[in-house]
Every structure is written in C-alpha cells, then in structure tokens.
C-alpha cells in the first residue's frame, strides 16, 4: 500500500513515516523543505533501513499537486502534515498561513475526490478548543473562536474536510487533534529541529540545558493551577505517530463508523510547566536555569485530553510517560550537539 505523507520531513511527519514503514507501507514523502531538511531522510533510513520515496514540491501550486497525483495513481492513502504552525508568526503574516495551510489542502482534496478513493488523515490540533469549558477535553467540546490565524486554519481545514465527506462518494477522513507533541525517536536518529529560537517549551528546555539558550522564561506563575503555571497534555511523538498508522488502517479496513471522524490525541494527563521542568531535571540530573516571566498572550490556562474515544473507538492509547518523553528529547538534543561539533 502506497501512502503519501505531506510534510514528511517535519517533526511529527518523520516519526510517522518510520511507523508506517514498520507496518509495511510504501511511503512517498512530499515536503517543500521550508521548515525541514532533506537530511531527515537519512535518519528515517537509519531507523527503518528503507529510504522513502521523496519529492521536493510546493503544494501551494495546483498543477504541482495535479502532476504529483498523475505520477502516482497508486496512492491509497494520504496523511497531510504539511502546514505552517507557528502561532506567533501566523498573527504577523496571516495570509502566508491561509495560503499554505488551506490552498494545499483544497488541491489535495480535489485530487482525491476526483479519484473517488479518498482515505485522508488530517493533522489538526487541540488549539481548536481554545480554553475549553470542561476538562479533560472531549471531541464534542465546542470549537471556540480561534486565538490565532494558525488555529483558524486548523478549524477551517476540519470544516472543509467535513463538507467534502458529506458530498463525496467513497471519501473517508479522520482529523487527529494533537495536544502537545514532545520528545524524539529513541534511536535519536530523528527528532524536533526548531528553526531559530524555539517557540515551544520542551525544545527551549533542552536547548537551555545544552547551552544554546541562557535561561528558560516561564511565562507566568499566577494562573489558577496547582503551582500557578499553565497545564498541557504532553504526548510522546512516537505515540502520536503510531496513532496516525492506526487511523489510516481504520480507513483502509473500512472500520470507520462515519466517513468523517475526529479523535483527540493526548495522554489524558495534564502537566504544569514547572512539572515539566522537574521531569527534565529528574531524567537529566541537571538543574535547569529558568526565571518566572510575564504571561504569554494567547496562552490558555489548561488543556488536556479526554482519551476515552481514542482508546475505545480508535483502539489506540499513549504508552510513554512524561519522563520517557523528556529523556528522549534530551538524548536527541545531545545527539544534535554531537553532530554539530563532530564528536559523534
Ligand atoms: C506550552 C506551555 C507556555 C515556551 C502550541 C500550539 C499548538 C501546537 C503546540 C502546533 C505554555 C509555556 C512555552 C517557553 C514557557 N503547535 N512556555 N516558556 O502553546 O501549548 O501549543 O504548540 O501544532 O497548536 O498552540 O505549546 O510548548 O508553546 O507552550 O513557559 O519558552 O509552556 O506558556 O504554558 P502550546 P508551547
């Protein structure tokens, strides 16, 4: 079975490619390399022993998408990761986000609809819930007005897919709403490679510990939580990757209950920023240099998943603990440094 993975050189995409290959899928990776390097293919090959097919393409061009599908008539499923995903950048340049995150999605869906065998997995985000009224968050929690153009592109993307599922024959899709993906493959051959200053907590922690950053700023400790810092559901990226394979197999085996389904992907456990720091210090034996800073605009106080539907309907459950995820993130950061300084 040949599967297209768009954005397959990215953090979650590359880990999903490895898990797809482990399940015997033939993978075609399409990536424009705007946010990831082609050398990620070496890491994937080092793990699986199989280098996926790769095409460097810009999916914002309709004819590029059409030509790709003409060249690969035997694509039996699509996992669509490619998108811009920096919340702050999306506020500064919304049209970049609407063009990149919506146009490419529409062109791919048009191809699948014409072929009449759509099996489509969409990379969505818990950001669609905003600050949920009830915790843990269920899939039927109301989608709140997006706090950023990035979050809006995820909401709009889900609505586009749902509309196509309503009218298209034999078109089946699943949206996967990620909570907070962290960590790296245990082999340390692939992991998160943030470009520039990391926006997300865990890469900032590991870059501070390795000496790339002076100190971590904890964005606020006056929230109404156990220790005043925000709470999130941090899920190991390999667990997340495996959920994509399970979701795709659900569609391949026509086990889906509806032609459009949504699943939250989290651990079901919330951790505060200080608890994540404590986890890092526990697994590394290091003292992290951090300071309490003002709140970051747009942050929700708490978000963690109700995993009931993913566990019972999708048949998937996150396996790794926060410590295991932090350990893999730290091992990866150390490997990146070795590769940079040639000490490997
Ligand atoms: C987590 C917590 C910060 C950095 C975002 C997107 C989401 C998804 C994951 C793409 C918050 C705190 C962070 C730092 C800190 N992205 N923090 N100091 O904001 O929950 O989710 O990334 O799909 O869609 O919204 O993740 O890692 O940025 O922040 O104190 O230097 O860590 O305030 O409480 P977030 P995050």
């Amino acid at each position: 079975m040949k599967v297209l993975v768009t954005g397959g050189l990215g953090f979650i995409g590359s880990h999903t490619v490895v898990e797809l290959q482990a399940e015997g899928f033939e993978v075609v990776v399409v990536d424009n390399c705007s946010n990831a390097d082609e050398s990620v293919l070496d890491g994937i090959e080092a793990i699986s022993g199989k280098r996926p097919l790769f095409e460097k393409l810009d999916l914002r061009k309709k004819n590029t998408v059409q030509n790709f599908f003409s060249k690969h008539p035997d694509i039996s499923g699509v996992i669509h990761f490619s998108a811009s995903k920096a919340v702050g950048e999306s506020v500064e340049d919304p049209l970049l986000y609407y063009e990149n995150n919506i146009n490419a999605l529409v062109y791919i869906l048009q191809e699948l609809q014409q072929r009449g065998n759509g099996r489509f997995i969409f990379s969505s985000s818990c950001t669609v819930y905003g600050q949920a009224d009830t915790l843990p968050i269920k899939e039927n929690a109301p989608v709140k007005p997006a706090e950023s153009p990035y979050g809006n592109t995820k909401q709009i993307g889900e609505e586009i897919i749902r509309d196509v599922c309503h009218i298209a024959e034999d078109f089946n899709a699943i949206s996967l709403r990620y909570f907070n993906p962290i960590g790296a493959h245990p082999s340390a051959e692939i992991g998160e490679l943030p470009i520039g200053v990391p926006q997300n907590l865990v890469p900032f922690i590991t870059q501070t510990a390795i000496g790339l950053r002076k100190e971590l700023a904890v964005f606020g400790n006056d929230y109404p939580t156990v220790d005043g810092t925000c709470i999130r559901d941090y899920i190991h990226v390999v667990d997340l990757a495996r959920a994509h394979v399970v979701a795709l197999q659900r569609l391949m085996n026509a086990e889906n209950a509806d032609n459009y389904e949504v699943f939250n992907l989290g651990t079901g456990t919330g951790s505060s920023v200080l608890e994540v720091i404590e986890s890092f210090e526990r697994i590394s034996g290091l003292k992290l240099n951090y300071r309490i800073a003002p709140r970051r605009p747009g942050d929700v106080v708490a978000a963690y998943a109700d995993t009931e539907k993913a566990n019972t309907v999708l048949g998937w459950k996150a396996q790794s603990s926060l410590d295991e995820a932090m350990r893999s993130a730290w091992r990866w950061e150390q490997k990146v440094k070795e590769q940079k300084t040639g000490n490997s």
Side-chain angles (χ1 to χ4, degrees):
M1 295 278 223
K2 196 178 193 181
V3 177
L4 164 61
V5 177
T6 72
L9 297 183
F11 175 36
I12 305 165
S14 56
H15 286 81
T16 302
V17 169
V18 164
E19 299 306 320
L20 284 165
Q21 291 180 319
E23 286 295 315
F25 288 99
E26 183 190 0
V27 179
V28 186
V29 171
V30 165
D31 203 303
N32 67 1
C33 299
S34 65
N35 206 13
D37 190 85
E38 202 169 326
S39 62
V40 168
L41 293 169
D42 301 332
I44 292 170
E45 187 176 9
I47 297 167
S48 68
K50 194 157 185 260
R51 197 177 187 83
L53 298 172
F54 172 67
E55 295 194 30
K56 183 176 178 180
L57 299 174
D58 185 342
L59 298 172
R60 290 173 297 184
K61 297 189 178 74
K62 185 168 184 167
N63 64 343
T64 301
V65 176
Q66 291 170 324
N67 294 340
F68 174 83
F69 278 94
S70 304
K71 188 176 162 189
H72 297 276
D74 52 348
I75 293 279
S76 54
V78 177
I79 304 183
H80 184 50
F81 289 104
S82 64
S84 303
K85 68 162 193 98
V87 174
E89 182 188 45
S90 77
V91 174
E92 287 153 25
D93 191 350
L95 289 177
L96 171 77
Y97 276 67
Y98 289 115
E99 182 190 38
N100 196 28
N101 296 7
I102 303 297
N103 291 9
L105 171 65
V106 168
Y107 299 150
I108 292 168
L109 293 175
Q110 284 173 327
E111 289 306 307
L112 293 178
Q113 185 179 16
Q114 278 162 23
R115 290 149 58 106
N117 73 336
R119 296 184 193 88
F120 188 77
I121 306 293
F122 181 60
S123 168
S124 190
S125 169
C126 65
T127 203
V128 302
Y129 298 115
Q131 178 54 72
D133 304 326
T134 311
L135 293 170
I137 304 173
K138 289 183 176 299
E139 286 82 356
N140 62 2
V143 169
K144 296 274 184 79
E147 306 253 345
S148 69
Y150 159 75
N152 205 23
T153 64
K154 290 303 178 185
Q155 290 180 8
I156 295 168
E158 287 195 13
E159 288 164 11
I160 291 170
I161 295 162
R162 195 187 52 225
D163 289 348
V164 174
C165 287
H166 279 339
I167 51 105
E169 291 298 311
D170 191 21
F171 187 88
N172 298 276
I174 291 176
S175 286
L176 298 175
R177 292 174 178 167
Y178 312 152
F179 280 69
N180 286 60
I182 63 168
H185 193 271
S187 67
E189 293 290 350
I190 53 175
E192 193 169 7
L193 282 168
I195 293 176
V197 178
Q199 299 303 304
N200 295 129
L201 176 65
V202 172
F204 208 110
I205 287 176
T206 56
Q207 287 195 9
T208 300
I210 205 95
L212 283 175
R213 309 286 160 204
K214 189 166 108 12
E215 67 179 1
L216 169 75
V218 172
F219 295 142
N221 70 341
D222 57 352
Y223 286 96
T225 64
V226 60
D227 57 21
T229 63
C230 293
I231 292 172
R232 296 288 184 276
D233 185 334
Y234 296 94
I235 176 171
H236 196 301
V237 65
V238 173
D239 281 328
L240 195 62
R242 289 184 177 139
H244 289 75
V245 181
V246 172
L248 184 66
Q249 288 169 328
R250 180 177 174 84
L251 298 185
M252 296 279 189
N253 303 332
E255 293 162 348
N256 46 315
D258 294 303
N259 63 350
Y260 180 59
E261 295 178 307
V262 176
F263 294 95
N264 285 343
L265 296 183
T267 65
T269 301
S271 301
S272 74
V273 174
L274 292 180
E275 286 168 343
V276 175
I277 292 170
E278 283 155 20
S279 171
F280 175 77
E281 292 182 335
R282 192 163 47 241
I283 60 97
S284 64
L286 300 174
K287 192 90 191 74
L288 189 75
N289 187 19
Y290 69 90
R291 65 182 167 84
I292 303 299
R295 292 182 174 191
R296 179 173 69 174
D299 271 338
V300 297
V301 181
Y304 50 95
D306 181 310
T307 58
E308 170 72 17
K309 189 179 174 188
N311 298 162
T312 56
V313 176
L314 187 57
W316 165 90
K317 184 171 173 53
Q319 301 299 310
S320 298
S321 67
L322 178 62
D323 280 13
E324 285 162 339
M326 292 305 290
R327 188 172 292 112
S328 68
W330 180 227
R331 188 183 302 121
W332 166 247
E333 191 69 63
Q334 292 171 302
K335 176 79 173 294
V336 169
K337 181 177 182 181
E338 282 165 23
Q339 285 171 341
K340 269 188 202 153
T341 55
N343 289 350
S344 49

